[in-house]
Amino acid sequence: MDADTSQLLKQLIAKERTAHLGTLRGGAPMVSMTLYMPEKDLSAFYVHVSSLAWHTQDMKQDGRVALSISETDDRRPDPFTLMRVTIRGEATQMISGPKDAWLARFPEQAINFTLADFSFWQITPRDARFVAGFGRIHNISATELRQPRMPMD
Amino acid sequence: MDADTSQLLKQLIAKERTAHLGTLRGGAPMVSMTLYMPEKDLSAFYVHVSSLAWHTQDMKQDGRVALSISETDDRRPDPFTLMRVTIRGEATQMISGPKDAWLARFPEQAINFTLADFSFWQITPRDARFVAGFGRIHNISATELRQPRMPMD
């Protein structure tokens, strides 16, 4: 992954707010939309989820997950050119979590911190697959993903 | 699911163009963005995919999939209120497929029909889970999903 590609990927992850979280449910695929927050160096991704949600029940059974993030559809003629990345990794429930940073990113989510059944989960990337455009597919290791070659801010 | 909810769901599925397709890859979750087209009565969803793509390889091994579709992020204060639906079902490769309707929906995708490795897959819903807003979660059977209570057009 060259520096330009790395920067494109970081911009995508920084700009978007929602991801589609893949989990195993009864051994079959389940995918559901979640809000996410990345660590600045992309060493981890956080989700704040209810224990009542299916994906949380799933992660308790099996921590293997995939997080799919795509560029917002701007109604361009060909949506197949939208950038997207899949991060595969391991999810673990956190005792506390990045509450202040989460609320800075999602102020309207404050109400969920008053509910006992919400908790943070940390997703540690195992690898990533970045589609930067037609035929521009990059398989990325967790180490490569973490390289702070291009700071986000 | 009441008539209003049913209409909201149909509008969401009709309006959006991209979905996140969950597959099993080596027994673990994989999710990747795809273009999709629904049957008008929601009895099936179609994707047109390359045999080189991971999700296609995955579906050839195990047809169980999940398709996650969410409302485009309009940068509202709380993205957790975006509507989203997950359709779980079985994917099967088609001999031909709805080429004309696909090209009417995605004209720029014509080039993929000149490539031998692309084919249509049909996803037959087993069930769906529709989140119409905070706490407004509906579990929907394939039969309910198909009810043409509110024609889309």
Side-chain angles (χ1 to χ4, degrees):
Chain A
M1 190 166 59
D2 58 29
D4 282 355
T5 305
S6 177
Q7 184 163 26
L8 275 178
L9 176 58
K10 283 177 181 173
Q11 284 171 346
L12 170 66
I13 291 171
K15 187 183 164 210
E16 301 304 329
R17 306 189 293 174
T18 60
H20 292 258
L21 177 64
T23 53
L24 284 179
R25 190 164 183 84
M30 177 63 200
V31 186
S32 47
M33 195 202 82
T34 52
L35 310 186
Y36 74 93
M37 183 174 72
E39 274 293 346
K40 286 220 168 60
D41 66 357
L42 308 186
S43 61
F45 292 77
Y46 304 102
V47 295
H48 190 235
V49 292
S50 164
S51 62
L52 304 173
W54 280 13
H55 45 230
T56 311
Q57 297 166 3
D58 296 346
M59 292 189 295
K60 280 184 179 166
Q61 297 286 322
D62 191 324
R64 291 177 296 173
V65 298
L67 208 54
S68 178
I69 299 166
S70 66
E71 208 178 347
T72 299
D73 187 356
D74 52 10
R75 310 308 288 187
R76 65 184 63 180
D78 188 1
F80 200 52
T81 63
L82 292 166
M83 283 192 294
R84 60 268 194 189
V85 63
T86 303
I87 295 123
R88 297 193 296 177
E90 192 75 23
T92 49
Q93 192 166 9
M94 303 174 80
I95 304 297
S96 62
K99 181 178 171 180
D100 293 346
W102 186 266
L103 284 176
R105 184 170 164 85
F106 303 115
E108 306 281 329
Q109 286 290 298
I111 187 174
N112 287 345
F113 289 92
T114 66
L115 305 173
D117 63 289
F118 269 77
S119 64
F120 279 104
W121 286 68
Q122 172 172 330
I123 297 167
T124 305
R126 193 171 65 246
D127 61 21
R129 189 168 164 91
F130 177 37
V131 182
F134 188 75
R136 292 166 60 198
I137 301 175
H138 303 272
N139 290 314
I140 303 165
S141 68
T143 311
E144 268 188 299
L145 187 65
R146 245 191 341 264
Q147 278 179 20
R149 206 182 298 188
M150 287 277 162
M152 274 199 294
D153 51 12
Chain B
M1 189 168 58
D2 60 29
D4 283 355
T5 304
S6 176
Q7 185 163 26
L8 275 179
L9 176 58
K10 284 177 179 173
Q11 285 171 346
L12 170 66
I13 290 172
K15 187 180 164 213
E16 301 303 329
R17 307 189 294 173
T18 61
H20 292 257
L21 177 65
T23 53
L24 284 179
R25 190 164 184 85
M30 177 64 201
V31 186
S32 47
M33 195 201 83
T34 53
L35 309 186
Y36 74 93
M37 183 174 74
E39 275 293 344
K40 286 221 167 60
D41 66 357
L42 308 186
S43 61
F45 292 76
Y46 304 103
V47 295
H48 189 234
V49 291
S50 164
S51 63
L52 304 173
W54 280 14
H55 45 231
T56 311
Q57 297 166 2
D58 296 346
M59 291 189 296
K60 280 184 179 167
Q61 297 285 323
D62 191 325
R64 291 177 296 173
V65 297
L67 209 54
S68 178
I69 298 166
S70 67
E71 209 178 347
T72 299
D73 187 355
D74 53 9
R75 311 307 289 184
R76 66 183 64 181
D78 188 2
F80 200 52
T81 64
L82 292 166
M83 284 193 294
R84 61 268 193 189
V85 63
T86 303
I87 295 123
R88 297 193 296 176
E90 191 75 23
T92 49
Q93 191 166 10
M94 302 174 81
I95 304 296
S96 61
K99 180 179 171 181
D100 293 346
W102 187 265
L103 284 177
R105 185 170 163 86
F106 303 115
E108 306 281 330
Q109 286 290 298
I111 187 174
N112 287 344
F113 288 93
T114 67
L115 306 174
D117 63 288
F118 269 77
S119 64
F120 279 104
W121 286 68
Q122 173 171 330
I123 297 167
T124 305
R126 192 170 67 245
D127 61 21
R129 188 167 165 91
F130 178 37
V131 182
F134 188 75
R136 293 166 60 197
I137 299 175
H138 303 271
N139 290 315
I140 302 165
S141 68
T143 311
E144 267 187 299
L145 187 66
R146 246 191 341 262
Q147 276 178 22
R149 207 181 298 188
M150 287 278 162
M152 273 197 294
D153 50 12

